[in-house]
Amino acid sequence: MSATPQKNRASRRVLAAAAGLATVGALVAAMPAGAHDRGHGHGGGPGHGHKPRTVDVQLLSFNDLHGNLEPPAGSAGNVSETQPDGTVKAIPAGGVEYLATSLRTARKGNPYSVTAAGGDMVGASPLLSGLFHDEPTIEALNGLDLDVTAVGNHEFDEGATELARLQNGGCHPVEGCYEKGKKFKGADFPYLAANVTKEKTGKPLLKPYTVWKKNGVKIGFIGVTLEGTPDIVTANGVKGLQFHDEVETINKYARELDRKGVKSIVALIHEGGAPASTSYNYDCDSPGAGDGISGPIVDIAKGITPKVDALVTGHTHQAYVCTVPDPSGKPRMVTSASSFGKLYTDTTLTYDRRTNDIVRTSVKSANHIVTRDQPKAPDMTRLIDRWNKLAAPIANKPQGWISADINGRGSTAPEKPLGNVIADAQLEGLAPADKGGAEVAFMNPGGIRADLVHKASGSEGDGVVTYGEAFTVQPFTNMMNVVDLTGAQLVTALQQQVSGPNEASPKILQVSKGLTYTLDLTKSGADRVVAGTIKLNGEAIDPARTYRVAMNEFLAGGGDGFPALGQGTNKLVGASDLDLFNAYLAAHSTATAPLAPPATDRITVIQ
């Protein structure tokens, strides 16, 4: 999902120092170059005697982990499952202790097993990982025996140099090493970024592909992120980089692998689609009207050369196992495993030793729930406990109280209760004349990364919102901006929620109290926002008047397909979004008078 990237870490550095975290060491991060062969060879060994003509290769895959080492709280940690009677059941899932067990169990009895990921392994992470620049997640992925991953847009949140450090190791250039006597080792799997090149040299930023080998079996993996990454990451994150067309890039490297004799190819693509049902066990290939899958991945899949045998995708946080025809008309598997480690995909690739290719007609695939009723992997429990001890002085500090769950990420409605709280916090903090004089605030929905959950996550007690929980909701530490926009620009911005690049998949801004309008989803394009209904504090928006508008720096830069918001002038930079959120919780709640979920009555939706 698109989201506000993490940019400013100044407050984090102060907190880290306050927690007594070591700050020694330096960055040693040369960009990796050239593809290399790789294979953990989970289970089994070389065969003896006559080899059968075909061998089944198990491809295990997942995507969009976003540093969720602990099970995601609230509705964000549930998977929807359609029951035989047609009802839908929510099943709690995820957490690397369970993901590790699921993957290790799945590998048993499969001598040829390779594990791949579809990007966004890190970024927009909960405090346990985000506070330490996602080193804990890379360490966990090493322990999961991940063989390869594509980069996602969130891998660029802190820029190319930090991504190189995650790949190659070395302590953080500002905060140093977090554990005394321990240097961060980096990822022992390759990050692939075939469609990302350096502006100055035109050369790939990271490896474009890698080849997994075992006992003569060879499978090539090409990894790309979505071409539109610069639109959903701050300018600093993608500085000096160019992002190229996914289809052209994959086809180019598929030809290169083919020339090298690698005939079995899997594409790892950080771009996805939306199935007609959110249930993980929905039959994506059912032929009914309105069934199947839509979104960018469909056209991408249709354009990728038949040399590629399967597509592992991500970005949309959806669960699907579909077939989409390749350019020659043959069905080809396209999969995605939701997000946050709640699912994994198990795909069987039948490899023909004579042709060195995958027998496409026999490719089988299914998503499986990472249930929380299985044993935890002890090594992952130790990893989480170790990092939690370091994070505890910051993470456990109470910020406020809530009377019930306030849904953000887990809400599918255009207007989300937690979105209203965040927008109100931003307006309240930036309304004073010396803070910017804001009259209205906008929050991008992708920047809300979790729900506020009433049930205690640790020993803090039910209803207490800790710093760690607030951070998980707003993990980017984006600086707030207040700018001048005309009423006409405000109206245009609201129309851009449902038109242009956002028409196919609307991005409905969360708005502060006082702003109201009607969203008519029976119409198309910009007409979905009924211009005559847009009011601020009961008065129609005046196209010629100037308004002071608060938003995070990502939106103020025109991010997420809102160029009108990037036209602001007379900018004042305020506190971080997280600081304003925490200040609002402190000002509006006590143990005896907790904050209640707000009404969602700002946007009237016609469907």
Side-chain angles (χ1 to χ4, degrees):
M1 303 288 275
S2 68
T4 318
Q6 195 155 301
K7 184 176 173 186
N8 186 289
R9 296 277 188 154
S11 59
R12 183 93 36 84
R13 290 197 282 272
V14 172
L15 288 165
L21 304 179
T23 52
V24 293
L27 169 66
V28 183
M31 297 284 181
H36 75 175
D37 298 332
R38 173 174 187 80
H40 286 303
H42 306 297
H48 298 285
H50 177 70
K51 286 183 178 176
R53 169 150 180 188
T54 62
V55 58
D56 281 348
V57 177
Q58 178 189 55
L59 170 62
L60 300 176
S61 56
F62 57 97
N63 51 277
D64 295 276
L65 181 65
H66 290 288
N68 279 263
L69 302 181
E70 295 175 297
S75 56
N78 290 338
V79 169
S80 296
E81 180 180 65
T82 300
Q83 306 301 300
D85 64 0
T87 58
V88 177
K89 183 179 177 185
I91 300 174
V96 294
E97 293 161 298
Y98 303 112
L99 180 60
T101 299
S102 288
L103 294 176
R104 289 163 187 171
T105 303
R107 288 173 188 145
K108 285 175 183 169
N110 289 285
Y112 294 85
S113 184
V114 56
T115 304
D120 276 6
M121 294 295 98
V122 300
S125 304
L127 187 89
L128 176 61
S129 187
L131 185 65
F132 306 107
H133 296 274
D134 284 311
E135 289 181 21
T137 297
I138 298 296
E139 186 184 331
L141 292 170
N142 289 344
L144 290 175
D145 282 335
L146 182 63
D147 288 298
V148 57
T149 184
V151 293
N153 52 289
H154 280 280
E155 264 82 18
F156 293 93
D157 282 353
E158 294 188 52
T161 304
E162 175 63 3
L163 174 55
R165 187 182 77 88
L166 291 180
Q167 176 72 83
N168 298 317
C171 296
H172 192 269
V174 175
E175 294 176 21
C177 299
Y178 294 111
E179 295 178 289
K180 195 173 180 181
K182 276 192 182 178
K183 182 182 168 186
F184 174 56
K185 291 176 180 173
D188 68 7
F189 51 89
Y191 262 112
L192 305 181
N195 66 331
V196 186
T197 57
K198 300 177 199 174
E199 275 179 0
K200 284 183 180 173
T201 64
K203 291 182 177 174
L205 174 69
L206 297 167
K207 296 186 187 85
Y209 60 80
T210 190
V211 180
W212 179 88
K213 287 182 178 179
K214 185 168 183 195
N215 299 341
V217 172
K218 291 187 291 187
I219 298 179
F221 288 88
I222 303 168
V224 298
T225 186
L226 70 155
E227 185 183 6
T229 290
D231 301 328
I232 51 176
V233 174
T234 52
N236 273 6
V238 294
K239 196 173 180 181
L241 303 176
Q242 287 185 310
F243 292 77
H244 304 277
D245 182 83
E246 303 95 338
V247 174
E248 289 174 14
T249 304
I250 290 168
N251 289 351
K252 170 187 167 183
Y253 286 110
R255 287 192 298 272
E256 187 172 313
L257 282 166
D258 188 58
R259 284 197 304 271
K260 290 183 172 182
V262 179
K263 308 294 183 184
S264 299
I265 302 172
V266 175
L268 309 175
I269 307 172
H270 191 70
E271 178 61 292
S277 164
T278 55
S279 290
Y280 89 95
N281 56 341
Y282 165 66
D283 179 4
C284 208
D285 292 335
S286 49
D291 275 341
I293 185 172
S294 58
I297 199 61
V298 178
D299 286 338
I300 289 172
K302 287 177 178 174
I304 289 173
T305 171
K307 294 181 195 299
V308 174
D309 299 295
L311 278 55
V312 172
T313 72
H315 187 55
T316 57
H317 290 204
Q318 302 295 308
Y320 48 84
V321 173
C322 306
T323 56
V324 178
D326 70 15
S328 71
K330 280 175 64 181
R332 177 169 53 195
M333 199 62 76
V334 180
T335 68
S336 174
S338 184
S339 63
F340 301 168
K342 293 182 288 189
L343 296 177
Y344 71 93
T345 312
D346 189 335
T347 302
T348 301
L349 302 172
T350 301
Y351 184 94
D352 187 326
R353 289 184 182 276
R354 199 171 297 172
T355 63
N356 296 327
D357 207 348
I358 300 300
V359 184
R360 191 91 73 74
T361 53
S362 65
V363 173
K364 296 180 184 66
S365 191
N367 275 326
H368 301 279
I369 301 180
V370 176
T371 59
R372 298 184 198 167
D373 58 2
Q374 60 185 319
K376 295 179 180 182
D379 56 329
M380 294 295 153
T381 303
R382 288 193 297 271
L383 182 150
I384 288 169
D385 289 349
R386 212 179 81 235
W387 287 103
N388 262 333
K389 282 194 182 80
L390 280 174
I394 298 168
N396 297 337
K397 192 177 174 191
Q399 302 298 310
W401 291 262
I402 55 175
S403 64
D405 289 0
I406 305 180
N407 284 348
R409 194 71 180 185
S411 168
T412 55
E415 181 184 349
K416 306 171 194 307
L418 190 50
N420 288 356
V421 172
I422 291 169
D424 288 352
Q426 295 176 353
L427 176 62
E428 183 171 295
L430 300 171
D434 63 335
K435 303 290 188 200
E439 299 167 81
V440 63
F442 292 136
M443 174 63 192
N444 57 310
I448 305 169
R449 304 306 299 187
D451 304 334
L452 279 186
V453 179
H454 184 263
K455 189 176 179 346
S457 59
S459 58
E460 75 275 13
D462 290 350
V464 178
V465 180
T466 64
Y467 183 89
E469 290 165 340
F471 181 98
T472 298
V473 169
Q474 294 239 271
F476 300 108
T477 323
N478 257 315
M479 303 313 289
M480 292 300 300
N481 290 180
V482 186
V483 299
D484 284 349
L485 287 171
T486 65
Q489 288 169 323
L490 272 188
V491 172
T492 300
L494 291 173
Q495 290 171 332
Q496 286 169 350
Q497 301 175 109
V498 289
S499 62
N502 292 332
E503 180 159 8
S505 182
K507 291 193 177 81
I508 306 303
L509 295 166
Q510 306 299 287
V511 299
S512 55
K513 62 186 174 191
L515 187 77
T516 55
Y517 69 94
T518 297
L519 184 66
D520 188 348
L521 297 177
T522 66
K523 296 181 178 174
S524 61
D527 290 341
R528 290 170 176 168
V529 173
V530 185
T533 65
I534 305 171
K535 294 180 178 178
L536 184 59
N537 301 321
E539 291 186 11
I541 294 288
D542 179 351
R545 198 196 130 188
T546 296
Y547 295 83
R548 292 292 283 165
V549 183
M551 63 193 113
N552 58 48
E553 60 192 333
F554 172 61
L555 278 179
D560 258 358
F562 291 99
L565 296 181
Q567 295 167 359
T569 57
N570 192 21
K571 179 171 78 173
L572 184 143
V573 178
S576 76
D577 51 8
L578 181 60
D579 287 345
L580 292 182
F581 184 47
N582 283 330
Y584 187 86
L585 290 172
H588 291 270
S589 68
T590 63
T592 53
L595 181 70
T600 49
D601 54 5
R602 301 170 190 183
I603 305 171
T604 302
V605 181
I606 300 171
Q607 286 180 311

